[in-house]
Amino acid sequence: MRRTDTTTGLTETAPAAPPAAAPSARAGRARALTAAGGVLTAASAFVAWTWTREFPGDLTVNGWPGGPQVLTLVSGLLTVLGSLGGYGVRGFRWAAPAGATAALRWYALGALAVTWFAVASIAWTLGGAVNVVGGGWFAAAASAVPVAGAFLLPPDAREPARARRLPAWAEVSLISAAAGAGLLVFTYGIGTEGALFAGFLVTAGFAAAGLARAGLLARLTGLTARHRTTAAAAAFVAAVAFPFTGSDETYMSVGVNILIFATVALGLNVVVGLAGLLDLGYVAFLGVGAYTAALVSGASASALGLRLPFWAAVLAGGLVSMLFGLLIGAPTLRVRGDYLAIVTLGFGEIFRIAVNNLDGVSGPNITGGPGGIPNIPDLSLLGFDFGATHVVAGVELGRFANYFLLMLLVTAVVVVVFQRVGESRTGRAWVAIREDETAATAMGVNSFRLKLTAFALGAALAGVAGTVQAHVSYAVVPDPYQFAGAVPPNSAFLLAAVVLGGTGTVAGPLIGAALLYLIPMKLQFLQDYQLMAFGIALILLMRFRPDGLVADRRGRVDHDAAGATA
């Protein structure tokens, strides 16, 4: 290209522009490399990785994936799917509506991480890398190919595609499919142990990040926002189906305890997430509900000697917990911040010490002291004995499956209460107090009365969950109701579940509680390194998801509006 300078009259030749197709060709080759690597990674799950069945999952079979090979297969297929969506292949464009590059990098890294983790686990568990056969090394090498291709891709330059409104039946079908996929993932995860559970967490984390970068989670969020009732019903049906998946009573007991933990965390979310009150002794309200139910449900060691029906025991547990919330909140909620946290922490310790001393020696014999109240009978509701085995739809449901379904109903009620209150005038006033109490008071909000209401409501919800926990565990003892401990629920884990899951949301505490209950239980194989691994996981999550796993949409809108105004 020749150019003449009008000032000097000189003519110079400018370098020719590179062909416009060159970057596109390089991107096409990188995407092809990524897709091919995804196919190889998925295929590597169908060959043997080790020679002995001593490693969990039986990785000695050719033609059928097992154990961590399933996770490698899923990661490889996600990489292939993202590549097809990035290519714009007809029928696969939905796989990357917001762009494929960032999503492909997360998918590929997830495949690399879980595959190399599995290979390293084989070598560590069986006593050396010699126990990894050729198929295992092939899988390790194949998982590196899509990573190289994904990081050779240029950043996404196009704007995210606008979501096309689908027919109502199609959107409802997608929501139902998402609920079914969630049930499948949860059932698989709860059935894993040790290193396989760690691999499951790695795969789920990278896959979730990739789906978010691809824009699929945003699309799903939009669908659930348009069909809230349908989404809630689909999630409830999926949860009801869990006992019918063939899981044994061990996993059913884990499921019911997760629901108890999640329900209490959702109640704490009223106090912390909506009203902004830092409560470090919240687990005491769970204990109040549990001890109340133990005293009035016909336990042989009960000092009251009452045998109330379940509905009356639930009301008693919720009301007594609410009363304690009012009694503790009235004198303490006039302080703020760190002072409030210290006072609530003191209340939690006072409760634990009090129930330890109400043993007939140091005080009146009400709670049984350190031994607690044992022999709490199983529930019987409308002639249905929750302690007996029942056959429903051809599936045998044991004791924990029965309590799981009961606790699911309690959780559903708590979710409805949280949603209704959060969207009400009182809920908006709580959010105003959380953001700036001084400004809210200046606008005429009675901050003390509303904070006391939040405290009492959160205590009542915890008390209701405690009534079911007392019957599930057969006994109530004071040890679990403390600020921190090795096993949830305790106040520290409850607060972590709310903050990690996402304050002010419904799904956040439920997901956070499930993770924080499962992680300490499933990572027992780490022994002395368990808390270190748990802390690292929390740090990474808070680094990459500072708003929690499920960010508050209202909070995001408010902050975005404030930033736009500034």
Side-chain angles (χ1 to χ4, degrees), residues 330-367:
T332 61
L333 289 178
R334 300 186 184 277
V335 298
R336 305 182 186 180
D338 298 338
Y339 299 101
L340 177 61
I342 293 172
V343 171
T344 54
L345 176 62
F347 162 66
E349 290 302 304
I350 289 172
F351 170 79
R352 184 176 60 83
I353 294 172
V355 294
N356 265 304
N357 286 290
L358 296 177
D359 57 355
V361 178
S362 301
N365 186 12
I366 298 177
T367 63

PDB file of all heavy atoms in Angstrom, residues 330-367:
ATOM      1  N   ALA A 330     -34.477  -8.541  73.335  1.00  0.00           N
ATOM      2  CA  ALA A 330     -34.954  -7.271  73.888  1.00  0.00           C
ATOM      3  C   ALA A 330     -33.849  -6.462  74.563  1.00  0.00           C
ATOM      4  O   ALA A 330     -33.713  -5.255  74.298  1.00  0.00           O
ATOM      5  CB  ALA A 330     -36.109  -7.534  74.850  1.00  0.00           C
ATOM      6  N   PRO A 331     -33.020  -7.053  75.420  1.00  0.00           N
ATOM      7  CA  PRO A 331     -31.969  -6.231  76.036  1.00  0.00           C
ATOM      8  C   PRO A 331     -30.691  -6.102  75.209  1.00  0.00           C
ATOM      9  O   PRO A 331     -29.851  -5.249  75.522  1.00  0.00           O
ATOM     10  CB  PRO A 331     -31.673  -6.992  77.343  1.00  0.00           C
ATOM     11  CG  PRO A 331     -31.974  -8.409  77.028  1.00  0.00           C
ATOM     12  CD  PRO A 331     -33.089  -8.393  76.045  1.00  0.00           C
ATOM     13  N   THR A 332     -30.516  -6.945  74.195  1.00  0.00           N
ATOM     14  CA  THR A 332     -29.228  -6.955  73.489  1.00  0.00           C
ATOM     15  C   THR A 332     -29.250  -6.269  72.135  1.00  0.00           C
ATOM     16  O   THR A 332     -28.196  -5.854  71.643  1.00  0.00           O
ATOM     17  CB  THR A 332     -28.747  -8.407  73.291  1.00  0.00           C
ATOM     18  OG1 THR A 332     -29.711  -9.116  72.508  1.00  0.00           O
ATOM     19  CG2 THR A 332     -28.565  -9.097  74.616  1.00  0.00           C
ATOM     20  N   LEU A 333     -30.416  -6.160  71.515  1.00  0.00           N
ATOM     21  CA  LEU A 333     -30.450  -5.620  70.158  1.00  0.00           C
ATOM     22  C   LEU A 333     -30.309  -4.107  70.109  1.00  0.00           C
ATOM     23  O   LEU A 333     -30.383  -3.518  69.028  1.00  0.00           O
ATOM     24  CB  LEU A 333     -31.753  -6.037  69.465  1.00  0.00           C
ATOM     25  CG  LEU A 333     -31.825  -7.523  69.097  1.00  0.00           C
ATOM     26  CD1 LEU A 333     -33.167  -7.855  68.467  1.00  0.00           C
ATOM     27  CD2 LEU A 333     -30.696  -7.893  68.138  1.00  0.00           C
ATOM     28  N   ARG A 334     -30.104  -3.486  71.254  1.00  0.00           N
ATOM     29  CA  ARG A 334     -29.829  -2.049  71.247  1.00  0.00           C
ATOM     30  C   ARG A 334     -28.356  -1.763  70.967  1.00  0.00           C
ATOM     31  O   ARG A 334     -27.967  -0.618  70.801  1.00  0.00           O
ATOM     32  CB  ARG A 334     -30.251  -1.416  72.580  1.00  0.00           C
ATOM     33  CG  ARG A 334     -31.744  -1.591  72.856  1.00  0.00           C
ATOM     34  CD  ARG A 334     -32.192  -0.835  74.100  1.00  0.00           C
ATOM     35  NE  ARG A 334     -33.591  -1.102  74.391  1.00  0.00           N
ATOM     36  CZ  ARG A 334     -34.619  -0.472  73.823  1.00  0.00           C
ATOM     37  NH1 ARG A 334     -34.381   0.456  72.903  1.00  0.00           N
ATOM     38  NH2 ARG A 334     -35.861  -0.773  74.143  1.00  0.00           N
ATOM     39  N   VAL A 335     -27.542  -2.812  70.945  1.00  0.00           N
ATOM     40  CA  VAL A 335     -26.140  -2.655  70.559  1.00  0.00           C
ATOM     41  C   VAL A 335     -25.968  -3.150  69.134  1.00  0.00           C
ATOM     42  O   VAL A 335     -26.810  -3.875  68.609  1.00  0.00           O
ATOM     43  CB  VAL A 335     -25.206  -3.417  71.526  1.00  0.00           C
ATOM     44  CG1 VAL A 335     -25.332  -2.870  72.933  1.00  0.00           C
ATOM     45  CG2 VAL A 335     -25.532  -4.902  71.517  1.00  0.00           C
ATOM     46  N   ARG A 336     -24.853  -2.778  68.509  1.00  0.00           N
ATOM     47  CA  ARG A 336     -24.647  -3.125  67.113  1.00  0.00           C
ATOM     48  C   ARG A 336     -23.285  -3.775  66.917  1.00  0.00           C
ATOM     49  O   ARG A 336     -22.417  -3.734  67.782  1.00  0.00           O
ATOM     50  CB  ARG A 336     -24.711  -1.868  66.224  1.00  0.00           C
ATOM     51  CG  ARG A 336     -25.958  -1.043  66.333  1.00  0.00           C
ATOM     52  CD  ARG A 336     -25.883   0.119  65.363  1.00  0.00           C
ATOM     53  NE  ARG A 336     -26.981   1.062  65.498  1.00  0.00           N
ATOM     54  CZ  ARG A 336     -27.129   2.168  64.762  1.00  0.00           C
ATOM     55  NH1 ARG A 336     -26.230   2.459  63.841  1.00  0.00           N
ATOM     56  NH2 ARG A 336     -28.153   2.971  64.957  1.00  0.00           N
ATOM     57  N   GLY A 337     -23.128  -4.351  65.729  1.00  0.00           N
ATOM     58  CA  GLY A 337     -21.825  -4.808  65.267  1.00  0.00           C
ATOM     59  C   GLY A 337     -21.176  -5.846  66.158  1.00  0.00           C
ATOM     60  O   GLY A 337     -21.792  -6.835  66.569  1.00  0.00           O
ATOM     61  N   ASP A 338     -19.911  -5.588  66.481  1.00  0.00           N
ATOM     62  CA  ASP A 338     -19.126  -6.537  67.259  1.00  0.00           C
ATOM     63  C   ASP A 338     -19.709  -6.763  68.650  1.00  0.00           C
ATOM     64  O   ASP A 338     -19.635  -7.878  69.181  1.00  0.00           O
ATOM     65  CB  ASP A 338     -17.683  -6.048  67.388  1.00  0.00           C
ATOM     66  CG  ASP A 338     -17.000  -5.943  66.035  1.00  0.00           C
ATOM     67  OD1 ASP A 338     -17.471  -6.614  65.097  1.00  0.00           O
ATOM     68  OD2 ASP A 338     -16.013  -5.200  65.915  1.00  0.00           O
ATOM     69  N   TYR A 339     -20.307  -5.738  69.225  1.00  0.00           N
ATOM     70  CA  TYR A 339     -20.878  -5.880  70.559  1.00  0.00           C
ATOM     71  C   TYR A 339     -22.057  -6.858  70.540  1.00  0.00           C
ATOM     72  O   TYR A 339     -22.216  -7.692  71.443  1.00  0.00           O
ATOM     73  CB  TYR A 339     -21.329  -4.522  71.089  1.00  0.00           C
ATOM     74  CG  TYR A 339     -20.197  -3.533  71.214  1.00  0.00           C
ATOM     75  CD1 TYR A 339     -20.020  -2.544  70.252  1.00  0.00           C
ATOM     76  CD2 TYR A 339     -19.303  -3.598  72.272  1.00  0.00           C
ATOM     77  CE1 TYR A 339     -18.978  -1.649  70.351  1.00  0.00           C
ATOM     78  CE2 TYR A 339     -18.255  -2.697  72.383  1.00  0.00           C
ATOM     79  CZ  TYR A 339     -18.098  -1.726  71.415  1.00  0.00           C
ATOM     80  OH  TYR A 339     -17.063  -0.839  71.506  1.00  0.00           O
ATOM     81  N   LEU A 340     -22.876  -6.771  69.496  1.00  0.00           N
ATOM     82  CA  LEU A 340     -23.991  -7.696  69.365  1.00  0.00           C
ATOM     83  C   LEU A 340     -23.469  -9.123  69.171  1.00  0.00           C
ATOM     84  O   LEU A 340     -24.012 -10.074  69.750  1.00  0.00           O
ATOM     85  CB  LEU A 340     -24.881  -7.293  68.190  1.00  0.00           C
ATOM     86  CG  LEU A 340     -26.061  -8.218  67.878  1.00  0.00           C
ATOM     87  CD1 LEU A 340     -27.013  -8.283  69.059  1.00  0.00           C
ATOM     88  CD2 LEU A 340     -26.789  -7.765  66.616  1.00  0.00           C
ATOM     89  N   ALA A 341     -22.424  -9.286  68.376  1.00  0.00           N
ATOM     90  CA  ALA A 341     -21.855 -10.617  68.153  1.00  0.00           C
ATOM     91  C   ALA A 341     -21.354 -11.221  69.463  1.00  0.00           C
ATOM     92  O   ALA A 341     -21.563 -12.411  69.731  1.00  0.00           O
ATOM     93  CB  ALA A 341     -20.718 -10.534  67.132  1.00  0.00           C
ATOM     94  N   ILE A 342     -20.709 -10.413  70.298  1.00  0.00           N
ATOM     95  CA  ILE A 342     -20.182 -10.917  71.572  1.00  0.00           C
ATOM     96  C   ILE A 342     -21.320 -11.321  72.502  1.00  0.00           C
ATOM     97  O   ILE A 342     -21.270 -12.365  73.169  1.00  0.00           O
ATOM     98  CB  ILE A 342     -19.286  -9.853  72.225  1.00  0.00           C
ATOM     99  CG1 ILE A 342     -18.023  -9.644  71.377  1.00  0.00           C
ATOM    100  CG2 ILE A 342     -18.898 -10.266  73.639  1.00  0.00           C
ATOM    101  CD1 ILE A 342     -17.179  -8.486  71.841  1.00  0.00           C
ATOM    102  N   VAL A 343     -22.389 -10.511  72.528  1.00  0.00           N
ATOM    103  CA  VAL A 343     -23.517 -10.824  73.403  1.00  0.00           C
ATOM    104  C   VAL A 343     -24.196 -12.123  72.977  1.00  0.00           C
ATOM    105  O   VAL A 343     -24.521 -12.986  73.806  1.00  0.00           O
ATOM    106  CB  VAL A 343     -24.518  -9.653  73.412  1.00  0.00           C
ATOM    107  CG1 VAL A 343     -25.793 -10.052  74.145  1.00  0.00           C
ATOM    108  CG2 VAL A 343     -23.904  -8.433  74.072  1.00  0.00           C
ATOM    109  N   THR A 344     -24.421 -12.296  71.668  1.00  0.00           N
ATOM    110  CA  THR A 344     -25.068 -13.523  71.196  1.00  0.00           C
ATOM    111  C   THR A 344     -24.160 -14.739  71.404  1.00  0.00           C
ATOM    112  O   THR A 344     -24.652 -15.841  71.691  1.00  0.00           O
ATOM    113  CB  THR A 344     -25.424 -13.395  69.707  1.00  0.00           C
ATOM    114  OG1 THR A 344     -24.250 -13.042  68.955  1.00  0.00           O
ATOM    115  CG2 THR A 344     -26.484 -12.328  69.507  1.00  0.00           C
ATOM    116  N   LEU A 345     -22.856 -14.551  71.274  1.00  0.00           N
ATOM    117  CA  LEU A 345     -21.937 -15.649  71.565  1.00  0.00           C
ATOM    118  C   LEU A 345     -22.046 -16.051  73.032  1.00  0.00           C
ATOM    119  O   LEU A 345     -22.045 -17.249  73.367  1.00  0.00           O
ATOM    120  CB  LEU A 345     -20.501 -15.227  71.234  1.00  0.00           C
ATOM    121  CG  LEU A 345     -19.400 -16.235  71.565  1.00  0.00           C
ATOM    122  CD1 LEU A 345     -19.593 -17.520  70.779  1.00  0.00           C
ATOM    123  CD2 LEU A 345     -18.033 -15.626  71.261  1.00  0.00           C
ATOM    124  N   GLY A 346     -22.175 -15.067  73.904  1.00  0.00           N
ATOM    125  CA  GLY A 346     -22.361 -15.355  75.325  1.00  0.00           C
ATOM    126  C   GLY A 346     -23.649 -16.097  75.593  1.00  0.00           C
ATOM    127  O   GLY A 346     -23.683 -17.023  76.429  1.00  0.00           O
ATOM    128  N   PHE A 347     -24.724 -15.750  74.876  1.00  0.00           N
ATOM    129  CA  PHE A 347     -25.992 -16.457  75.067  1.00  0.00           C
ATOM    130  C   PHE A 347     -25.851 -17.922  74.685  1.00  0.00           C
ATOM    131  O   PHE A 347     -26.361 -18.816  75.384  1.00  0.00           O
ATOM    132  CB  PHE A 347     -27.094 -15.808  74.236  1.00  0.00           C
ATOM    133  CG  PHE A 347     -28.292 -16.687  74.034  1.00  0.00           C
ATOM    134  CD1 PHE A 347     -29.094 -17.057  75.099  1.00  0.00           C
ATOM    135  CD2 PHE A 347     -28.605 -17.163  72.765  1.00  0.00           C
ATOM    136  CE1 PHE A 347     -30.189 -17.886  74.913  1.00  0.00           C
ATOM    137  CE2 PHE A 347     -29.695 -17.989  72.578  1.00  0.00           C
ATOM    138  CZ  PHE A 347     -30.487 -18.345  73.653  1.00  0.00           C
ATOM    139  N   GLY A 348     -25.153 -18.203  73.581  1.00  0.00           N
ATOM    140  CA  GLY A 348     -24.955 -19.591  73.182  1.00  0.00           C
ATOM    141  C   GLY A 348     -24.219 -20.396  74.230  1.00  0.00           C
ATOM    142  O   GLY A 348     -24.586 -21.540  74.525  1.00  0.00           O
ATOM    143  N   GLU A 349     -23.193 -19.810  74.825  1.00  0.00           N
ATOM    144  CA  GLU A 349     -22.440 -20.517  75.854  1.00  0.00           C
ATOM    145  C   GLU A 349     -23.268 -20.670  77.134  1.00  0.00           C
ATOM    146  O   GLU A 349     -23.186 -21.692  77.813  1.00  0.00           O
ATOM    147  CB  GLU A 349     -21.139 -19.760  76.149  1.00  0.00           C
ATOM    148  CG  GLU A 349     -20.124 -19.833  75.022  1.00  0.00           C
ATOM    149  CD  GLU A 349     -19.751 -21.268  74.698  1.00  0.00           C
ATOM    150  OE1 GLU A 349     -19.303 -21.998  75.604  1.00  0.00           O
ATOM    151  OE2 GLU A 349     -19.937 -21.688  73.538  1.00  0.00           O
ATOM    152  N   ILE A 350     -24.064 -19.659  77.467  1.00  0.00           N
ATOM    153  CA  ILE A 350     -24.923 -19.754  78.654  1.00  0.00           C
ATOM    154  C   ILE A 350     -25.921 -20.897  78.497  1.00  0.00           C
ATOM    155  O   ILE A 350     -26.164 -21.666  79.441  1.00  0.00           O
ATOM    156  CB  ILE A 350     -25.654 -18.410  78.885  1.00  0.00           C
ATOM    157  CG1 ILE A 350     -24.658 -17.347  79.367  1.00  0.00           C
ATOM    158  CG2 ILE A 350     -26.782 -18.580  79.898  1.00  0.00           C
ATOM    159  CD1 ILE A 350     -25.247 -15.965  79.425  1.00  0.00           C
ATOM    160  N   PHE A 351     -26.490 -21.037  77.301  1.00  0.00           N
ATOM    161  CA  PHE A 351     -27.447 -22.119  77.075  1.00  0.00           C
ATOM    162  C   PHE A 351     -26.780 -23.487  77.273  1.00  0.00           C
ATOM    163  O   PHE A 351     -27.325 -24.365  77.948  1.00  0.00           O
ATOM    164  CB  PHE A 351     -28.027 -22.016  75.662  1.00  0.00           C
ATOM    165  CG  PHE A 351     -28.826 -23.221  75.255  1.00  0.00           C
ATOM    166  CD1 PHE A 351     -30.123 -23.388  75.709  1.00  0.00           C
ATOM    167  CD2 PHE A 351     -28.273 -24.199  74.440  1.00  0.00           C
ATOM    168  CE1 PHE A 351     -30.865 -24.507  75.358  1.00  0.00           C
ATOM    169  CE2 PHE A 351     -29.003 -25.320  74.077  1.00  0.00           C
ATOM    170  CZ  PHE A 351     -30.302 -25.470  74.534  1.00  0.00           C
ATOM    171  N   ARG A 352     -25.613 -23.669  76.681  1.00  0.00           N
ATOM    172  CA  ARG A 352     -24.933 -24.965  76.791  1.00  0.00           C
ATOM    173  C   ARG A 352     -24.557 -25.276  78.239  1.00  0.00           C
ATOM    174  O   ARG A 352     -24.743 -26.402  78.719  1.00  0.00           O
ATOM    175  CB  ARG A 352     -23.680 -24.969  75.918  1.00  0.00           C
ATOM    176  CG  ARG A 352     -22.953 -26.305  75.877  1.00  0.00           C
ATOM    177  CD  ARG A 352     -21.780 -26.241  74.907  1.00  0.00           C
ATOM    178  NE  ARG A 352     -20.829 -25.226  75.307  1.00  0.00           N
ATOM    179  CZ  ARG A 352     -19.868 -25.402  76.215  1.00  0.00           C
ATOM    180  NH1 ARG A 352     -19.750 -26.580  76.830  1.00  0.00           N
ATOM    181  NH2 ARG A 352     -19.025 -24.441  76.517  1.00  0.00           N
ATOM    182  N   ILE A 353     -24.067 -24.282  78.967  1.00  0.00           N
ATOM    183  CA  ILE A 353     -23.690 -24.497  80.368  1.00  0.00           C
ATOM    184  C   ILE A 353     -24.935 -24.764  81.216  1.00  0.00           C
ATOM    185  O   ILE A 353     -24.924 -25.611  82.129  1.00  0.00           O
ATOM    186  CB  ILE A 353     -22.912 -23.279  80.895  1.00  0.00           C
ATOM    187  CG1 ILE A 353     -21.563 -23.166  80.149  1.00  0.00           C
ATOM    188  CG2 ILE A 353     -22.674 -23.389  82.389  1.00  0.00           C
ATOM    189  CD1 ILE A 353     -20.810 -21.889  80.461  1.00  0.00           C
ATOM    190  N   ALA A 354     -26.033 -24.055  80.908  1.00  0.00           N
ATOM    191  CA  ALA A 354     -27.263 -24.231  81.687  1.00  0.00           C
ATOM    192  C   ALA A 354     -27.824 -25.639  81.544  1.00  0.00           C
ATOM    193  O   ALA A 354     -28.181 -26.289  82.539  1.00  0.00           O
ATOM    194  CB  ALA A 354     -28.298 -23.191  81.263  1.00  0.00           C
ATOM    195  N   VAL A 355     -27.897 -26.151  80.300  1.00  0.00           N
ATOM    196  CA  VAL A 355     -28.462 -27.493  80.124  1.00  0.00           C
ATOM    197  C   VAL A 355     -27.527 -28.559  80.700  1.00  0.00           C
ATOM    198  O   VAL A 355     -27.980 -29.646  81.083  1.00  0.00           O
ATOM    199  CB  VAL A 355     -28.756 -27.779  78.640  1.00  0.00           C
ATOM    200  CG1 VAL A 355     -29.845 -26.866  78.118  1.00  0.00           C
ATOM    201  CG2 VAL A 355     -27.503 -27.660  77.785  1.00  0.00           C
ATOM    202  N   ASN A 356     -26.236 -28.261  80.792  1.00  0.00           N
ATOM    203  CA  ASN A 356     -25.307 -29.188  81.433  1.00  0.00           C
ATOM    204  C   ASN A 356     -25.525 -29.255  82.939  1.00  0.00           C
ATOM    205  O   ASN A 356     -25.264 -30.288  83.571  1.00  0.00           O
ATOM    206  CB  ASN A 356     -23.862 -28.781  81.144  1.00  0.00           C
ATOM    207  CG  ASN A 356     -23.269 -29.517  79.957  1.00  0.00           C
ATOM    208  OD1 ASN A 356     -23.244 -30.743  79.923  1.00  0.00           O
ATOM    209  ND2 ASN A 356     -22.821 -28.768  78.964  1.00  0.00           N
ATOM    210  N   ASN A 357     -25.977 -28.150  83.513  1.00  0.00           N
ATOM    211  CA  ASN A 357     -26.107 -28.078  84.971  1.00  0.00           C
ATOM    212  C   ASN A 357     -27.516 -28.381  85.481  1.00  0.00           C
ATOM    213  O   ASN A 357     -27.695 -28.531  86.698  1.00  0.00           O
ATOM    214  CB  ASN A 357     -25.689 -26.691  85.469  1.00  0.00           C
ATOM    215  CG  ASN A 357     -24.188 -26.498  85.426  1.00  0.00           C
ATOM    216  OD1 ASN A 357     -23.432 -27.092  86.188  1.00  0.00           O
ATOM    217  ND2 ASN A 357     -23.747 -25.666  84.487  1.00  0.00           N
ATOM    218  N   LEU A 358     -28.495 -28.465  84.589  1.00  0.00           N
ATOM    219  CA  LEU A 358     -29.855 -28.801  85.015  1.00  0.00           C
ATOM    220  C   LEU A 358     -29.994 -30.320  85.073  1.00  0.00           C
ATOM    221  O   LEU A 358     -30.789 -30.943  84.360  1.00  0.00           O
ATOM    222  CB  LEU A 358     -30.889 -28.191  84.066  1.00  0.00           C
ATOM    223  CG  LEU A 358     -30.919 -26.657  84.018  1.00  0.00           C
ATOM    224  CD1 LEU A 358     -31.926 -26.167  82.992  1.00  0.00           C
ATOM    225  CD2 LEU A 358     -31.236 -26.087  85.398  1.00  0.00           C
ATOM    226  N   ASP A 359     -29.200 -30.936  85.966  1.00  0.00           N
ATOM    227  CA  ASP A 359     -29.094 -32.387  86.038  1.00  0.00           C
ATOM    228  C   ASP A 359     -29.568 -32.984  87.349  1.00  0.00           C
ATOM    229  O   ASP A 359     -29.388 -34.177  87.602  1.00  0.00           O
ATOM    230  CB  ASP A 359     -27.647 -32.813  85.791  1.00  0.00           C
ATOM    231  CG  ASP A 359     -26.686 -32.168  86.783  1.00  0.00           C
ATOM    232  OD1 ASP A 359     -27.129 -31.324  87.585  1.00  0.00           O
ATOM    233  OD2 ASP A 359     -25.486 -32.495  86.729  1.00  0.00           O
ATOM    234  N   GLY A 360     -30.140 -32.164  88.223  1.00  0.00           N
ATOM    235  CA  GLY A 360     -30.567 -32.655  89.517  1.00  0.00           C
ATOM    236  C   GLY A 360     -29.501 -32.587  90.583  1.00  0.00           C
ATOM    237  O   GLY A 360     -29.771 -32.885  91.749  1.00  0.00           O
ATOM    238  N   VAL A 361     -28.289 -32.217  90.238  1.00  0.00           N
ATOM    239  CA  VAL A 361     -27.190 -32.076  91.199  1.00  0.00           C
ATOM    240  C   VAL A 361     -26.788 -30.614  91.318  1.00  0.00           C
ATOM    241  O   VAL A 361     -26.827 -30.014  92.395  1.00  0.00           O
ATOM    242  CB  VAL A 361     -25.973 -32.934  90.791  1.00  0.00           C
ATOM    243  CG1 VAL A 361     -24.834 -32.738  91.781  1.00  0.00           C
ATOM    244  CG2 VAL A 361     -26.356 -34.405  90.701  1.00  0.00           C
ATOM    245  N   SER A 362     -26.397 -30.017  90.185  1.00  0.00           N
ATOM    246  CA  SER A 362     -26.040 -28.599  90.184  1.00  0.00           C
ATOM    247  C   SER A 362     -27.268 -27.707  90.077  1.00  0.00           C
ATOM    248  O   SER A 362     -27.173 -26.498  90.273  1.00  0.00           O
ATOM    249  CB  SER A 362     -25.086 -28.301  89.024  1.00  0.00           C
ATOM    250  OG  SER A 362     -23.912 -29.081  89.117  1.00  0.00           O
ATOM    251  N   GLY A 363     -28.383 -28.273  89.723  1.00  0.00           N
ATOM    252  CA  GLY A 363     -29.618 -27.519  89.565  1.00  0.00           C
ATOM    253  C   GLY A 363     -30.775 -28.478  89.476  1.00  0.00           C
ATOM    254  O   GLY A 363     -30.621 -29.700  89.663  1.00  0.00           O
ATOM    255  N   PRO A 364     -31.977 -28.002  89.207  1.00  0.00           N
ATOM    256  CA  PRO A 364     -33.135 -28.900  89.093  1.00  0.00           C
ATOM    257  C   PRO A 364     -32.962 -29.871  87.936  1.00  0.00           C
ATOM    258  O   PRO A 364     -32.309 -29.560  86.933  1.00  0.00           O
ATOM    259  CB  PRO A 364     -34.306 -27.936  88.859  1.00  0.00           C
ATOM    260  CG  PRO A 364     -33.681 -26.672  88.365  1.00  0.00           C
ATOM    261  CD  PRO A 364     -32.337 -26.582  89.002  1.00  0.00           C
ATOM    262  N   ASN A 365     -33.533 -31.038  88.072  1.00  0.00           N
ATOM    263  CA  ASN A 365     -33.405 -32.078  87.065  1.00  0.00           C
ATOM    264  C   ASN A 365     -34.430 -31.848  85.949  1.00  0.00           C
ATOM    265  O   ASN A 365     -35.574 -32.315  86.022  1.00  0.00           O
ATOM    266  CB  ASN A 365     -33.600 -33.449  87.697  1.00  0.00           C
ATOM    267  CG  ASN A 365     -33.319 -34.568  86.698  1.00  0.00           C
ATOM    268  OD1 ASN A 365     -32.776 -34.316  85.627  1.00  0.00           O
ATOM    269  ND2 ASN A 365     -33.689 -35.782  87.054  1.00  0.00           N
ATOM    270  N   ILE A 366     -33.989 -31.123  84.933  1.00  0.00           N
ATOM    271  CA  ILE A 366     -34.873 -30.806  83.806  1.00  0.00           C
ATOM    272  C   ILE A 366     -34.308 -31.366  82.507  1.00  0.00           C
ATOM    273  O   ILE A 366     -35.009 -32.050  81.755  1.00  0.00           O
ATOM    274  CB  ILE A 366     -35.086 -29.278  83.686  1.00  0.00           C
ATOM    275  CG1 ILE A 366     -35.763 -28.737  84.952  1.00  0.00           C
ATOM    276  CG2 ILE A 366     -35.930 -28.961  82.444  1.00  0.00           C
ATOM    277  CD1 ILE A 366     -35.937 -27.244  84.945  1.00  0.00           C
ATOM    278  N   THR A 367     -33.039 -31.102  82.235  1.00  0.00           N
ATOM    279  CA  THR A 367     -32.445 -31.483  80.950  1.00  0.00           C
ATOM    280  C   THR A 367     -31.602 -32.751  81.026  1.00  0.00           C
ATOM    281  O   THR A 367     -31.103 -33.206  79.990  1.00  0.00           O
ATOM    282  CB  THR A 367     -31.576 -30.341  80.414  1.00  0.00           C
ATOM    283  OG1 THR A 367     -30.482 -30.113  81.312  1.00  0.00           O
ATOM    284  CG2 THR A 367     -32.384 -29.070  80.269  1.00  0.00           C
TER     285      THR A 367
END
